[in-house]
Amino acid sequence: MSRQSGAAGPPTGLRQLNANYVALEDRIRLSLTTQDGNEFRFWLTRRYLQLLWQALGRIVTRFAELKAADPLLRSAMAGFAEAQAMNRADLRTPYAGGTTFPLGEDPVLLSRITVGEITAAGTQPLALRPERGAGIDLALNEELAHVITNLLRQAA
């Protein structure tokens, strides 16, 4: 996996996501495993979770805006897209984790979020970064944006 601009580079296809509240830390641990066995672990504070929800909300809205100009129709389409995404998501398979840890085995405390413009491929870039060091770049499609939003909502 190549490193670019302080990031671990785009993961080579997400295999599993996991988010759970850790009471002792009073924060959420977000883990992402890629198809090639890499695992990325992050801490999300309450402040960061609010920022991430706002960013994910903007991303979902952008996808809906591509489908309809009318705000009511956009809202209905976003709700339909969320229901479809959650119906397709496999929430029963236990989180297996990865075998290698490009950012280390300890979770990285995230502090910055960058949302890019929708790409020609129809994905929305989302960069999750700590104050210093490497973070991760994700390319979200509409379905993945909904799944991550719901996963974080359940963990919170």
Side-chain angles (χ1 to χ4, degrees):
M1 182 172 286
S2 64
R3 293 191 179 258
Q4 307 168 3
S5 64
T12 57
L14 290 177
R15 185 181 72 211
Q16 281 188 305
L17 302 165
N18 186 46
N20 61 319
Y21 177 73
V22 179
L24 185 61
E25 293 285 339
D26 192 27
R27 47 183 112 174
I28 292 174
R29 183 177 47 226
L30 174 65
S31 302
L32 303 98
T33 305
T34 62
Q35 295 294 343
D36 59 2
N38 288 322
E39 183 174 350
F40 300 86
R41 296 175 177 172
F42 302 104
W43 286 125
L44 309 178
T45 63
R46 291 172 196 253
R47 180 194 69 81
Y48 191 85
L49 182 60
Q50 288 176 345
L51 294 173
L52 185 53
W53 264 331
Q54 291 170 7
L56 288 167
R58 287 191 308 271
I59 289 169
V60 167
T61 298
R62 286 180 184 171
F63 281 121
E65 288 171 350
L66 294 175
K67 295 178 184 176
D70 179 77
L72 290 175
L73 186 55
R74 273 197 309 255
S75 178
M77 292 182 86
F80 180 71
E82 178 180 1
Q84 270 190 318
M86 295 314 296
N87 282 336
R88 284 197 286 255
D90 177 5
L91 303 176
R92 286 182 240 136
T93 302
Y95 183 73
T99 55
T100 57
F101 305 90
L103 302 180
E105 289 190 41
D106 293 329
V108 173
L109 179 63
L110 295 174
S111 64
R112 298 179 291 137
I113 298 172
T114 304
V115 178
E117 295 299 320
I118 292 180
T119 67
T123 60
Q124 180 76 61
L126 177 68
L128 308 178
R129 301 277 190 275
E131 186 63 30
R132 289 188 196 94
I136 192 168
D137 292 328
L138 300 173
L140 303 181
N141 61 23
E142 184 175 21
E143 186 172 311
L144 186 54
H146 283 294
V147 169
I148 291 173
T149 301
N150 278 283
L151 184 69
L152 293 174
R153 187 178 300 127
Q154 290 174 16

